[in-house]
Amino acid sequence: MQERLAFARAAYDAVALYDPKRTAVELDLTDNTNLWGIPPTAERTLREMPVAAVTRYPTLYAAELKAELALLHGVSADMIVTGCGSDDILDSAMRAFGEPGELVAGSEPSFAMIPIFAQMNALRWRGISERSTTAAQHTGHQPDIDALLATTPKILYLCSPNNPTGALIARASIERAIAHARGVVFIDEAYAEFAGVSSIDLVARSERVLIIRTMSKAYGLAGLRLGYAIGQPSLVMEVEKSRGPYKLNAMAERVALSALRYDSEWVAEHVALAVTLRERLAGALRAMGLAPMPSAANFVCVPVAQCVAVGQAMRTRGVAVRPFPALPHVGDALRISVGPWPLMERMLSALAPALREVNG
Ligand SMILES: *Cc1c(COP(=O)(O)O)cnc(C)c1O
């Protein structure tokens, strides 16, 4: 443990650098990015990038991209804010709405970055275990909305479909959270394309809700760092102020515009493929005697005892999946990104011997 610098911020004592333990491996199924690659027009735009995209500053607040995203979602451009990945949106929005010391609450398990962003903004984090599966058998793993609301957080974070479980949050729960929230409700929809449902329409009804989306997953552009959020203009304006100018780089904006204008068919096709293969993968896991959790995203979460050791044993066979030890109401589990079927077969052929090796 390093000694704190005398002049460092006290709130940063507990902040650790993010470390998902990612190392080079032949087949990486740990981050739920698009394993089919980049959409074709987006790729062409990237390859033909004019030098001016690098030598000159990007646009201030990505107005052209906001207009295109507004078209896609049927909202006005002043209801959209873009960012350097949705991570940047989450960070900026926490800074915009949370005074230091105020509370961010969210269901557990969920996106691992949220407590880190709370800490980075000197906010307090409170994780509330999701309701037990027995109480929520029909809807899968669901957040405990009453317990979350009872903490009266300044920021309530919900993720649907949820990372890492894959569970879609029931519409009624989201509506109730928004109706009773005293602060702002963030709904992280990083995987909404794969679920085919969204809460974007709720934005029209409430000035408290911010929907957060990304082009890192369905659009295959994780390395360019493109995120955005949708909310009422007054809400979005505060995030824009907190985000600051020039945050979206010029190459990212140009590639994103191409993808949105010309690649929607490619994206839809590959989303559909991911959904089909997700169910096929779940079937293959069941055939091995495992019980994968229902998923609305482009990954499958499957309970596996000794998940860290199993993950290690798979890694020695050239395949990386993400272990989640001791998830509430689940226990140890592996989260596996869905991609082209040959990759899934390769993964299964590493999982089977790894399970035998570790769990007998
Ligand atoms: C991947 C992911 C993100 C991060 O997306 P970026 O736009 O790449 O920053 C946000 N939320 C969840 C739940 C994710 O899984």
Side-chain angles (χ1 to χ4, degrees), residues 85-87 90 111 157 159 163 188 190-191 214 216-217 225-226:
S86 56
D87 282 0
L90 289 161
F111 190 36
Y157 173 85
C159 185
N163 177 2
D188 188 335
Y191 303 98
T214 180
S216 294
K217 309 285 161 60
R225 315 302 301 123
L226 286 149

Side-chain angles (χ1 to χ4, degrees), residues 142-183:
Q142 293 289 310
D144 189 336
I145 299 291
D146 290 330
L148 286 165
L149 287 168
T151 68
T152 58
K154 186 63 175 291
I155 294 163
L156 174 53
Y157 173 85
L158 297 173
C159 185
S160 182
N162 189 33
N163 177 2
T165 61
L168 200 61
I169 300 179
R171 171 78 173 196
S173 298
I174 292 176
E175 288 183 355
R176 205 150 51 82
I178 294 169
H180 297 287
R182 308 266 284 278

Side-chain angles (χ1 to χ4, degrees), residues 63-210:
E64 214 182 336
L65 181 57
K66 286 201 274 190
E68 202 63 41
L69 289 165
L71 217 56
L72 174 68
H73 293 296
V75 298
S76 56
D78 60 358
M79 296 175 76
I80 295 189
V81 52
T82 65
C84 177
S86 56
D87 282 0
D88 182 34
I89 299 277
L90 289 161
D91 178 39
S92 301
M94 281 195 199
R95 195 162 52 248
F97 302 115
E99 301 283 2
E102 286 187 324
L103 189 71
V104 181
S107 186
E108 275 182 344
S110 195
F111 190 36
M113 291 299 297
I114 299 303
I116 298 174
F117 289 132
Q119 284 181 326
M120 280 164 55
N121 290 291
L123 300 168
R124 287 177 299 127
W125 160 254
R126 178 88 187 274
I128 302 279
S129 274
E130 63 188 14
R131 279 171 23 223
S132 73
T133 33
T134 42
Q137 255 165 7
H138 302 291
T139 44
H141 292 251
Q142 293 289 310
D144 189 336
I145 299 291
D146 290 330
L148 286 165
L149 287 168
T151 68
T152 58
K154 186 63 175 291
I155 294 163
L156 174 53
Y157 173 85
L158 297 173
C159 185
S160 182
N162 189 33
N163 177 2
T165 61
L168 200 61
I169 300 179
R171 171 78 173 196
S173 298
I174 292 176
E175 288 183 355
R176 205 150 51 82
I178 294 169
H180 297 287
R182 308 266 284 278
V184 186
V185 180
F186 292 1
I187 303 178
D188 188 335
E189 293 195 338
Y191 303 98
E193 287 90 347
F194 305 99
V197 295
S198 167
S199 295
I200 290 173
D201 61 300
L202 295 178
V203 161
R205 285 198 243 154
S206 171
E207 62 186 6
R208 293 179 179 277
V209 58
L210 190 70

